[in-house]
Amino acid sequence: MIGAGVGFALLPVLRRTSGRMDQEGGDPHPENPLVRHVEHFNSHPYLAGVALGAVARMEEEGLPAHAIRRFKTAIRGPLGSMGDSLIWASWLPTSLLAAAVALLLGAPWWLAVGLFLTGYNMVHFGLRAWGVNVGLREGPRVAEALQRADLLGKAERIASIGVLLLGLLTGLLVARGLEAGPAAVVGPWIPVAAFLFYLGVRKGAVLWSWTAGAVAVGLVVLGVLGGVR
């Protein structure tokens, strides 16, 4: 799905290697190298640079076309899974929660938006640059570098921060509702409470620690805000 982008990004490498092969007496590949790289390739866009850098290294080293194809087929799935866990399931919602908390704590809207855009983009642009560099450095051995980077472990830690921010946000919303009157608090939270009760019955052992942490943070926030008032 992003094969055309991969082929375009590889153009400088392919031009250089094709020129070198012509000088050495012909292209060892029976097909145009660009055609091989605009085929179907689906992965997470922020981690596709890992495959891109590794493939560029493999082309520079003159590895056969079938080896490069096999590598691209093998790595696209893991990169997609790691990117989904790290970005869509962890960093993006955590960044949004941080901005929402800042807004409810009294930050101007433009500062909350700037906090989200700055934090989110710094991470994903940094991840893109890191991916290309590690791919160029490691080539087909990039799986070992990905294992050392422990991206899934980082995703879990970011998600834990997101849970704490969710508890803080909940406490702030409840505090705002108390200022507006009991009806403003009870009404909107009835379906939320029912849903959480259902999750507790079905997944209580798994969700208990997260729920306890969120409730604790919410109570602390309510206490602090009550003391300030």
Side-chain angles (χ1 to χ4, degrees):
M1 299 174 79
I2 55 176
V6 171
F8 179 80
L10 286 171
L11 274 176
V13 177
L14 298 177
R15 286 171 179 153
R16 184 166 60 251
T17 55
S18 297
R20 186 178 67 230
M21 291 170 186
D22 290 340
Q23 293 175 2
E24 294 172 353
D27 189 342
H29 304 304
E31 57 184 330
N32 186 326
L34 180 60
V35 173
R36 293 188 282 108
H37 293 298
V38 295
E39 296 173 345
H40 174 78
F41 182 78
N42 183 26
S43 187
H44 195 280
Y46 297 171
L47 283 179
V50 176
L52 178 65
V55 168
R57 172 76 176 268
M58 296 170 76
E59 288 284 356
E60 287 279 6
E61 294 178 351
L63 271 66
H66 66 85
I68 297 176
R69 269 204 183 100
R70 189 163 58 245
F71 171 80
K72 289 172 65 178
T73 301
I75 200 173
R76 65 189 183 188
L79 289 179
S81 176
M82 285 187 288
D84 288 346
S85 298
L86 181 62
I87 300 298
W88 304 147
S90 300
W91 183 242
L92 177 59
T94 299
S95 301
L96 288 169
L97 284 168
V101 167
L103 189 65
L104 287 178
L105 286 174
W109 69 265
W110 53 267
L111 184 59
V113 171
L115 176 67
F116 165 70
L117 292 176
T118 301
Y120 179 73
N121 286 308
M122 282 180 63
V123 167
H124 90 74
F125 280 124
L127 189 63
R128 290 170 187 261
W130 171 84
V132 174
N133 287 329
V134 76
L136 286 170
R137 184 177 68 248
E138 302 292 337
R141 298 174 299 279
V142 75
E144 300 173 6
L146 288 173
Q147 188 175 10
R148 291 193 300 270
D150 190 24
L151 296 181
L152 292 179
K154 289 180 173 61
E156 291 181 2
R157 289 190 286 274
I158 293 171
S160 299
I161 296 172
V163 171
L164 292 175
L165 289 172
L166 181 60
L168 179 59
L169 181 65
T170 303
L172 291 171
L173 289 172
V174 170
R176 288 288 184 90
L178 288 173
E179 293 177 354
V185 178
V186 176
W189 287 98
I190 289 177
V192 176
F195 177 68
L196 290 176
F197 177 78
Y198 169 78
L199 285 181
V201 172
R202 296 296 300 272
K203 303 287 185 179
V206 177
L207 295 177
W208 167 247
S209 59
W210 305 113
T211 306
V215 170
V217 172
L219 291 174
V220 168
V221 170
L222 284 174
V224 171
L225 291 178
V228 171
R229 289 198 300 270

